[in-house]
């Protein structure tokens, strides 16, 4: 007859239950570990979402700075272009105004000779009238070109327009006034091309 030790049987059962419990623990990881792992993944996802937003904000700031630099460059270029246009326009106007300066200066000698010839009454009346007509015609051409005689006689001496070659004492004019014109002066479009050669009251 076989005798079964109940104590041993209970121990056997407890050993089997312990073994099964270890198997279940191995097959199914602890819930807290799983939760911890899940939390790490969620944080990583949040960081991944915040990173693109930060990068987008940085790119927007860079684009804004680039736009401002572009606007400043555009304004500078426009200002330089306007200055260039004004400079070219001024140079062109000066060229048109004074292009004939050399020619007119040479013709002034002709005018002087005309005036000297007209100052003599020895020739016949017809000759004088002819000379006067030529002088008037030539003067008209020069006036159209911008030539103008400098007013000197009786005027206050102005070194910008008058060249004093001598002084004299006279009661006809006050001190510092031009008392005589030895050679007429002229301006071309407002620019003095030859000052008047004058006598000044001392």
């Amino acid at each position: 007859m076989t005798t079964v030790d109940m104590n041993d049987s209970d121990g056997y059962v407890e050993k089997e239950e312990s073994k099964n419990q270890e198997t279940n623990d191995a097959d199914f990881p602890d819930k807290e570990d799983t939760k911890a792992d899940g939390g790490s993944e969620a944080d990583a996802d949040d960081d991944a979402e915040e990173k693109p937003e930060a990068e987008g904000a940085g790119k927007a700031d860079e684009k804004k700075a680039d736009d401002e630099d572009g606007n400043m460059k555009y304004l500078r270029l426009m200002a330089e272009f306007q200055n260039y246009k004004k400079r070219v326009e001024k140079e062109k106007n000066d060229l048109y105004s004074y292009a004939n300066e050399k020619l007119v200066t040479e013709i002034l000698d002709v005018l002087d000779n005309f005036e000297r010839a007209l100052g003599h009454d020895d020739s016949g009346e017809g000759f004088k009238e002819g000379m006067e007509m030529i002088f008037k015609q030539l003067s008209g051409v020069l006036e159209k070109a911008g030539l103008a005689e400098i007013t000197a006689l009786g005027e206050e001496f102005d070194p910008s327009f008058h060249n004093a070659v001598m002084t004299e004492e006279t009661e006809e004019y006050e001190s510092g006034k031009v008392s005589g014109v030895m050679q007429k002066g002229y301006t071309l479009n407002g620019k003095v091309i030859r000052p008047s050669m004058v006598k000044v009251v001392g």
Side-chain angles (χ1 to χ4, degrees):
M1 182 175 180
T2 305
T3 301
V4 178
D5 189 352
M6 295 301 293
N7 292 330
D8 292 340
S9 177
D10 293 339
Y12 175 79
V13 172
E14 289 177 359
K15 291 179 180 179
E16 287 292 326
E17 289 178 353
S18 177
K19 183 177 182 180
N20 292 336
Q21 183 64 35
E22 292 176 356
T23 303
N24 291 335
D25 292 341
D27 294 339
F28 301 97
D30 195 37
K31 290 183 179 180
E32 293 181 357
D33 294 338
T34 304
K35 184 177 180 180
D37 293 340
S40 299
E41 293 177 358
D43 293 340
D45 292 339
D46 292 340
D47 293 339
E49 291 177 358
E50 292 176 0
K51 188 174 181 180
E53 291 179 358
E55 291 178 355
K59 290 181 179 179
D61 292 339
E62 291 178 359
K63 183 177 180 181
K64 184 178 180 180
D66 291 339
D67 291 342
E68 291 177 354
D69 291 341
N71 290 336
M72 290 298 297
K73 290 179 180 178
Y74 174 77
L75 292 176
R76 283 197 297 269
L77 287 174
M78 286 298 297
E80 291 175 359
F81 180 70
Q82 291 297 328
N83 292 335
Y84 169 77
K85 285 180 63 177
K86 291 178 182 179
R87 185 169 64 254
V88 170
E89 189 68 21
K90 183 180 182 302
E91 291 175 354
K92 185 171 67 175
N93 291 336
D94 290 344
L95 180 62
Y96 289 156
S97 298
Y98 308 119
N100 296 325
E101 180 176 348
K102 182 178 179 180
L103 174 62
V104 172
T105 303
E106 293 175 353
I107 293 177
L108 290 179
D109 294 333
V110 180
L111 284 178
D112 293 338
N113 292 332
F114 268 120
E115 288 184 325
R116 293 188 185 98
L118 293 174
H120 294 283
D121 294 331
D122 298 339
S123 303
E125 189 65 24
F127 174 80
K128 183 178 180 180
E129 290 179 359
M131 293 290 287
E132 288 175 347
M133 290 177 61
I134 295 172
F135 180 80
K136 184 177 180 180
Q137 183 182 17
L138 181 58
S139 297
V141 171
L142 294 175
E143 286 177 3
K144 289 180 181 180
L147 184 70
E149 181 181 337
I150 295 175
T151 304
L153 187 62
E155 298 292 326
E156 189 75 25
F157 173 75
D158 186 348
S160 299
F161 298 96
H162 309 138
N163 179 22
V165 295
M166 63 180 296
T167 59
E168 65 176 1
E169 298 293 335
T170 179
E171 297 179 357
E172 187 176 359
Y173 299 100
E174 298 176 359
S175 176
K177 299 285 187 178
V178 175
S179 58
V181 178
M182 303 176 66
Q183 186 182 62
K184 291 181 179 181
Y186 294 90
T187 61
L188 180 63
N189 294 313
K191 178 184 177 182
V192 178
I193 59 175
R194 192 180 76 179
S196 301
M197 190 179 296
V198 300
K199 295 184 291 183
V200 182
V201 180

